[in-house]
Amino acid sequence: MRDIPDPAAVGTLLRHVLELLDGDLSRIYEEQGLPEYRPRFSPAVRALLAEGPLSVSDLATAVGVTHSAASQTAAQMARADLVTHTPDPLDARRRLIDLTPKARALLPRIEAEWEATAAAMAELDTELSMPLAELLREVAEAVGRRPFRERVGAVYRGPGSGGPS
């Protein structure tokens, strides 16, 4: 049995790499006494530190994820008592997400992990043909220019499409 997914299954391979990276970071947080903290929280924490309280939509934009992903992350962070949801004083229909005192107390530990992760990523990049973040940005830009659905649709000839199957 193989430890690495089929290289032709790019989505599976991307998830596998993410699981390897995030899994190790999660274990570090557990070892540091932060079992409820997840690697996916760090971009939200950084955005909230930089910009202050944000709506889910603004957090999604700041982090570069979908509204749904930002909402799910904020809900997980709220369950861990890392963020609060309060009414926006300028628009009662919106709720603002902000860091709790518990999250602020954890910042020195979280920031130390950020620095260590950046150093570890720099080391890993020396073993790659190009920096991973650079490659992923290129992929995102290319798919932004021409969505993957269009690329697949241009060549897909499934059953019932009139073409070869």
Side-chain angles (χ1 to χ4, degrees):
M1 185 161 173
R2 298 170 15 171
D3 289 341
I4 298 176
D6 177 354
V10 176
T12 300
L13 188 55
L14 282 170
R15 280 187 291 281
H16 178 68
V17 169
L18 182 60
E19 288 169 2
L20 290 172
L21 298 175
D22 277 1
D24 283 344
L25 287 175
S26 291
R27 282 190 284 288
I28 289 170
Y29 285 124
E30 287 176 24
E31 291 166 1
Q32 297 299 315
L34 301 171
E36 73 281 358
Y37 195 86
R38 299 285 173 262
R40 72 185 289 180
F41 296 172
S42 291
V45 170
R46 294 176 73 111
L48 292 168
L49 278 174
E51 300 185 34
L54 295 170
S55 68
V56 171
S57 294
D58 292 339
L59 181 62
T61 299
V63 173
V65 297
T66 64
H67 184 280
S68 176
S71 180
Q72 290 173 14
T73 298
Q76 289 177 343
M77 292 177 75
R79 283 192 293 278
D81 190 32
L82 298 173
V83 297
T84 59
H85 293 81
T86 58
D88 183 338
L90 302 175
D91 183 351
R93 296 170 295 175
R94 292 181 355 147
R95 297 183 60 75
L96 296 178
I97 301 162
D98 198 9
L99 296 174
T100 63
K102 176 182 175 181
R104 291 186 186 281
L106 294 174
L107 285 176
R109 293 163 73 184
I110 294 169
E111 289 170 341
E113 181 276 322
W114 290 341
E115 290 175 18
T117 298
M121 200 65 231
E123 177 191 326
L124 178 60
D125 283 344
T126 67
E127 298 177 37
L128 306 176
S129 60
M130 71 184 302
L132 181 58
E134 184 180 322
L135 175 62
L136 293 174
R137 271 191 298 279
E138 283 186 32
V139 171
E141 289 169 5
V143 173
R145 285 189 303 273
R146 183 169 182 224
F148 201 58
R149 181 180 184 280
E150 282 182 26
R151 295 168 191 265
V152 172
V155 294
Y156 179 68
R157 301 291 178 255
S161 67
S165 55

PDB file of all heavy atoms in Angstrom, residues 6 14 21 35-36 45 69 74 80 86 90 95 100 106 116 125 131 139 160-161:
ATOM      1  N   ASP A   6      -2.171   8.857  -5.640  1.00  0.00           N
ATOM      2  CA  ASP A   6      -1.925   8.818  -7.077  1.00  0.00           C
ATOM      3  C   ASP A   6      -1.581  10.231  -7.553  1.00  0.00           C
ATOM      4  O   ASP A   6      -2.361  11.157  -7.366  1.00  0.00           O
ATOM      5  CB  ASP A   6      -3.195   8.311  -7.758  1.00  0.00           C
ATOM      6  CG  ASP A   6      -3.111   8.276  -9.273  1.00  0.00           C
ATOM      7  OD1 ASP A   6      -2.114   8.743  -9.845  1.00  0.00           O
ATOM      8  OD2 ASP A   6      -4.073   7.774  -9.883  1.00  0.00           O
ATOM      9  N   LEU A  14      -3.223  17.388  -3.147  1.00  0.00           N
ATOM     10  CA  LEU A  14      -3.240  18.660  -2.426  1.00  0.00           C
ATOM     11  C   LEU A  14      -3.789  18.478  -1.010  1.00  0.00           C
ATOM     12  O   LEU A  14      -3.230  19.008  -0.042  1.00  0.00           O
ATOM     13  CB  LEU A  14      -4.088  19.685  -3.182  1.00  0.00           C
ATOM     14  CG  LEU A  14      -3.441  20.340  -4.376  1.00  0.00           C
ATOM     15  CD1 LEU A  14      -4.474  21.135  -5.176  1.00  0.00           C
ATOM     16  CD2 LEU A  14      -2.297  21.236  -3.962  1.00  0.00           C
ATOM     17  N   LEU A  21       0.865  18.879   6.593  1.00  0.00           N
ATOM     18  CA  LEU A  21       1.306  20.138   7.198  1.00  0.00           C
ATOM     19  C   LEU A  21       0.433  20.503   8.398  1.00  0.00           C
ATOM     20  O   LEU A  21       0.945  20.774   9.494  1.00  0.00           O
ATOM     21  CB  LEU A  21       1.293  21.261   6.158  1.00  0.00           C
ATOM     22  CG  LEU A  21       2.218  21.091   4.958  1.00  0.00           C
ATOM     23  CD1 LEU A  21       2.009  22.220   3.951  1.00  0.00           C
ATOM     24  CD2 LEU A  21       3.667  20.998   5.370  1.00  0.00           C
ATOM     25  N   PRO A  35      -4.993  22.220  22.684  1.00  0.00           N
ATOM     26  CA  PRO A  35      -5.625  21.209  21.828  1.00  0.00           C
ATOM     27  C   PRO A  35      -6.798  21.732  21.004  1.00  0.00           C
ATOM     28  O   PRO A  35      -7.132  21.160  19.976  1.00  0.00           O
ATOM     29  CB  PRO A  35      -6.087  20.139  22.821  1.00  0.00           C
ATOM     30  CG  PRO A  35      -6.258  20.875  24.106  1.00  0.00           C
ATOM     31  CD  PRO A  35      -5.193  21.946  24.105  1.00  0.00           C
ATOM     32  N   GLU A  36      -7.418  22.850  21.427  1.00  0.00           N
ATOM     33  CA  GLU A  36      -8.563  23.382  20.687  1.00  0.00           C
ATOM     34  C   GLU A  36      -8.153  24.316  19.551  1.00  0.00           C
ATOM     35  O   GLU A  36      -8.975  24.680  18.726  1.00  0.00           O
ATOM     36  CB  GLU A  36      -9.525  24.122  21.632  1.00  0.00           C
ATOM     37  CG  GLU A  36      -9.037  25.476  22.126  1.00  0.00           C
ATOM     38  CD  GLU A  36      -8.006  25.431  23.263  1.00  0.00           C
ATOM     39  OE1 GLU A  36      -7.647  24.349  23.748  1.00  0.00           O
ATOM     40  OE2 GLU A  36      -7.562  26.515  23.665  1.00  0.00           O
ATOM     41  N   VAL A  45      -6.848  34.999  13.058  1.00  0.00           N
ATOM     42  CA  VAL A  45      -6.263  35.741  14.175  1.00  0.00           C
ATOM     43  C   VAL A  45      -5.416  36.886  13.639  1.00  0.00           C
ATOM     44  O   VAL A  45      -5.515  38.032  14.112  1.00  0.00           O
ATOM     45  CB  VAL A  45      -5.429  34.814  15.093  1.00  0.00           C
ATOM     46  CG1 VAL A  45      -4.616  35.612  16.104  1.00  0.00           C
ATOM     47  CG2 VAL A  45      -6.341  33.817  15.810  1.00  0.00           C
ATOM     48  N   ALA A  69     -16.445  29.304   4.441  1.00  0.00           N
ATOM     49  CA  ALA A  69     -15.252  28.860   5.178  1.00  0.00           C
ATOM     50  C   ALA A  69     -14.949  29.796   6.343  1.00  0.00           C
ATOM     51  O   ALA A  69     -14.617  29.343   7.445  1.00  0.00           O
ATOM     52  CB  ALA A  69     -14.049  28.773   4.241  1.00  0.00           C
ATOM     53  N   ALA A  74     -14.940  30.901  12.106  1.00  0.00           N
ATOM     54  CA  ALA A  74     -15.356  31.772  13.215  1.00  0.00           C
ATOM     55  C   ALA A  74     -16.200  30.995  14.227  1.00  0.00           C
ATOM     56  O   ALA A  74     -16.041  31.190  15.438  1.00  0.00           O
ATOM     57  CB  ALA A  74     -16.117  32.975  12.683  1.00  0.00           C
ATOM     58  N   ALA A  80     -14.220  27.523  20.879  1.00  0.00           N
ATOM     59  CA  ALA A  80     -12.972  27.436  21.650  1.00  0.00           C
ATOM     60  C   ALA A  80     -12.743  28.695  22.492  1.00  0.00           C
ATOM     61  O   ALA A  80     -11.686  28.838  23.105  1.00  0.00           O
ATOM     62  CB  ALA A  80     -11.793  27.209  20.704  1.00  0.00           C
ATOM     63  N   THR A  86     -20.461  40.024  18.025  1.00  0.00           N
ATOM     64  CA  THR A  86     -21.256  41.099  18.604  1.00  0.00           C
ATOM     65  C   THR A  86     -21.944  41.882  17.490  1.00  0.00           C
ATOM     66  O   THR A  86     -21.436  41.928  16.362  1.00  0.00           O
ATOM     67  CB  THR A  86     -20.379  42.061  19.437  1.00  0.00           C
ATOM     68  OG1 THR A  86     -19.348  42.584  18.594  1.00  0.00           O
ATOM     69  CG2 THR A  86     -19.747  41.346  20.619  1.00  0.00           C
ATOM     70  N   LEU A  90     -22.936  49.918  13.490  1.00  0.00           N
ATOM     71  CA  LEU A  90     -23.332  50.685  12.305  1.00  0.00           C
ATOM     72  C   LEU A  90     -24.389  49.976  11.462  1.00  0.00           C
ATOM     73  O   LEU A  90     -25.026  50.605  10.611  1.00  0.00           O
ATOM     74  CB  LEU A  90     -22.109  50.992  11.439  1.00  0.00           C
ATOM     75  CG  LEU A  90     -20.985  51.765  12.135  1.00  0.00           C
ATOM     76  CD1 LEU A  90     -19.792  51.907  11.213  1.00  0.00           C
ATOM     77  CD2 LEU A  90     -21.490  53.107  12.620  1.00  0.00           C
ATOM     78  N   ARG A  95     -22.954  41.010  12.237  1.00  0.00           N
ATOM     79  CA  ARG A  95     -22.282  40.733  13.503  1.00  0.00           C
ATOM     80  C   ARG A  95     -20.783  40.829  13.251  1.00  0.00           C
ATOM     81  O   ARG A  95     -20.294  40.441  12.195  1.00  0.00           O
ATOM     82  CB  ARG A  95     -22.669  39.358  14.025  1.00  0.00           C
ATOM     83  CG  ARG A  95     -24.178  39.313  14.319  1.00  0.00           C
ATOM     84  CD  ARG A  95     -24.674  38.031  14.907  1.00  0.00           C
ATOM     85  NE  ARG A  95     -24.129  37.614  16.165  1.00  0.00           N
ATOM     86  CZ  ARG A  95     -24.413  38.137  17.363  1.00  0.00           C
ATOM     87  NH1 ARG A  95     -25.229  39.159  17.451  1.00  0.00           N
ATOM     88  NH2 ARG A  95     -23.889  37.653  18.465  1.00  0.00           N
ATOM     89  N   THR A 100     -11.127  37.284  21.716  1.00  0.00           N
ATOM     90  CA  THR A 100     -11.463  37.306  23.141  1.00  0.00           C
ATOM     91  C   THR A 100     -10.197  37.567  23.955  1.00  0.00           C
ATOM     92  O   THR A 100      -9.070  37.432  23.449  1.00  0.00           O
ATOM     93  CB  THR A 100     -12.045  35.956  23.581  1.00  0.00           C
ATOM     94  OG1 THR A 100     -11.033  34.956  23.402  1.00  0.00           O
ATOM     95  CG2 THR A 100     -13.303  35.594  22.816  1.00  0.00           C
ATOM     96  N   LEU A 106      -3.142  34.204  24.521  1.00  0.00           N
ATOM     97  CA  LEU A 106      -2.399  33.146  23.824  1.00  0.00           C
ATOM     98  C   LEU A 106      -1.483  33.681  22.727  1.00  0.00           C
ATOM     99  O   LEU A 106      -0.679  32.930  22.177  1.00  0.00           O
ATOM    100  CB  LEU A 106      -3.374  32.139  23.198  1.00  0.00           C
ATOM    101  CG  LEU A 106      -4.209  31.313  24.165  1.00  0.00           C
ATOM    102  CD1 LEU A 106      -5.231  30.478  23.400  1.00  0.00           C
ATOM    103  CD2 LEU A 106      -3.324  30.428  25.025  1.00  0.00           C
ATOM    104  N   ALA A 116       8.042  30.093  13.898  1.00  0.00           N
ATOM    105  CA  ALA A 116       8.658  28.778  13.690  1.00  0.00           C
ATOM    106  C   ALA A 116       8.140  28.137  12.400  1.00  0.00           C
ATOM    107  O   ALA A 116       8.906  27.519  11.650  1.00  0.00           O
ATOM    108  CB  ALA A 116       8.390  27.873  14.888  1.00  0.00           C
ATOM    109  N   ASP A 125      11.107  24.914   1.556  1.00  0.00           N
ATOM    110  CA  ASP A 125      11.214  25.486   0.203  1.00  0.00           C
ATOM    111  C   ASP A 125      12.579  25.238  -0.426  1.00  0.00           C
ATOM    112  O   ASP A 125      12.686  25.139  -1.650  1.00  0.00           O
ATOM    113  CB  ASP A 125      10.908  26.989   0.229  1.00  0.00           C
ATOM    114  CG  ASP A 125       9.417  27.292   0.328  1.00  0.00           C
ATOM    115  OD1 ASP A 125       8.601  26.386   0.070  1.00  0.00           O
ATOM    116  OD2 ASP A 125       9.088  28.448   0.663  1.00  0.00           O
ATOM    117  N   PRO A 131       9.492  27.731  -4.446  1.00  0.00           N
ATOM    118  CA  PRO A 131       8.754  27.880  -3.189  1.00  0.00           C
ATOM    119  C   PRO A 131       7.289  27.470  -3.343  1.00  0.00           C
ATOM    120  O   PRO A 131       6.624  27.852  -4.316  1.00  0.00           O
ATOM    121  CB  PRO A 131       8.883  29.366  -2.867  1.00  0.00           C
ATOM    122  CG  PRO A 131      10.135  29.800  -3.566  1.00  0.00           C
ATOM    123  CD  PRO A 131      10.181  28.961  -4.829  1.00  0.00           C
ATOM    124  N   VAL A 139      -0.900  28.792  -9.437  1.00  0.00           N
ATOM    125  CA  VAL A 139      -2.047  27.944  -9.743  1.00  0.00           C
ATOM    126  C   VAL A 139      -3.341  28.741  -9.557  1.00  0.00           C
ATOM    127  O   VAL A 139      -4.229  28.719 -10.423  1.00  0.00           O
ATOM    128  CB  VAL A 139      -2.057  26.671  -8.861  1.00  0.00           C
ATOM    129  CG1 VAL A 139      -3.362  25.905  -9.014  1.00  0.00           C
ATOM    130  CG2 VAL A 139      -0.866  25.778  -9.193  1.00  0.00           C
ATOM    131  N   GLY A 160     -23.272  10.264 -23.441  1.00  0.00           N
ATOM    132  CA  GLY A 160     -24.421  11.084 -23.799  1.00  0.00           C
ATOM    133  C   GLY A 160     -24.049  12.459 -24.344  1.00  0.00           C
ATOM    134  O   GLY A 160     -24.915  13.246 -24.671  1.00  0.00           O
ATOM    135  N   SER A 161     -22.755  12.744 -24.465  1.00  0.00           N
ATOM    136  CA  SER A 161     -22.354  14.057 -24.956  1.00  0.00           C
ATOM    137  C   SER A 161     -22.209  14.083 -26.483  1.00  0.00           C
ATOM    138  O   SER A 161     -21.926  15.118 -27.050  1.00  0.00           O
ATOM    139  CB  SER A 161     -21.035  14.492 -24.312  1.00  0.00           C
ATOM    140  OG  SER A 161     -19.974  13.642 -24.759  1.00  0.00           O
TER     141      SER A 161
END
